[in-house]
Amino acid sequence: MKIVVITHNEIEGFHYYPDAPKFCAYLGNKHRHVFVVRCHFEVSHNEREIEIIDRQREIAERVARQFGSPADFGGFSCEDIAEWLMVEFEDMVYCKVLEDGYGGAALSR
């Protein structure tokens, strides 16, 4: 049986889609979202070695350190943000990033 802890962060930020197709060219302009970030970390037992609230704080701090607050993700997509987080946290096994809690992307190892 695998055990994972799940974190939840809501990160106010901006991004843009540099190569937006014509039908949604407006996404090429910088725009705001609340990025909803859900991450999974595998743990080895029910007394988990990762404290959820500490990891949520660490995620928020690393994002703020790299991208500011509110975050300026530049041309990063949801996929790019999830990939960046998975590189930052080697023990992360899954990451989902949603724009305003709706559509987005998920990556897993």
Side-chain angles (χ1 to χ4, degrees):
M1 179 180 316
K2 285 188 178 184
I3 306 169
V4 297
V5 295
I6 302 169
T7 61
H8 176 97
N9 291 74
E10 294 187 8
I11 301 167
E12 180 185 8
F14 296 85
H15 75 163
Y16 60 91
Y17 182 4
D19 298 319
K22 255 186 190 178
F23 74 90
C24 59
Y26 60 93
L27 294 175
N29 299 317
K30 190 176 188 178
H31 54 279
R32 178 191 177 277
H33 291 291
V34 173
F35 293 91
V36 176
V37 179
R38 293 274 175 116
C39 304
H40 294 193
F41 299 88
E42 194 168 337
V43 294
S44 60
H45 52 81
N46 290 351
E47 299 299 322
R48 62 187 175 267
E49 55 273 18
I50 296 171
E51 183 50 51
I52 297 164
I53 196 164
D54 288 339
R55 187 53 59 97
Q56 287 172 165
R57 187 181 66 248
E58 189 177 357
I59 290 167
E61 287 170 354
R62 287 198 199 181
V63 168
R65 187 169 45 246
Q66 181 70 26
F67 300 102
S69 183
D72 186 347
F73 291 114
F76 268 28
S77 64
C78 292
E79 293 85 346
D80 293 325
I81 296 167
E83 182 177 11
W84 180 84
L85 284 164
M86 291 188 81
V87 168
E88 282 290 302
F89 294 89
E90 293 179 0
D91 58 342
M92 188 183 297
V93 296
Y94 175 87
C95 184
K96 179 177 11 178
V97 177
L98 302 175
E99 296 176 344
D100 305 311
Y102 296 100
L107 279 72
S108 63
R109 295 190 205 275

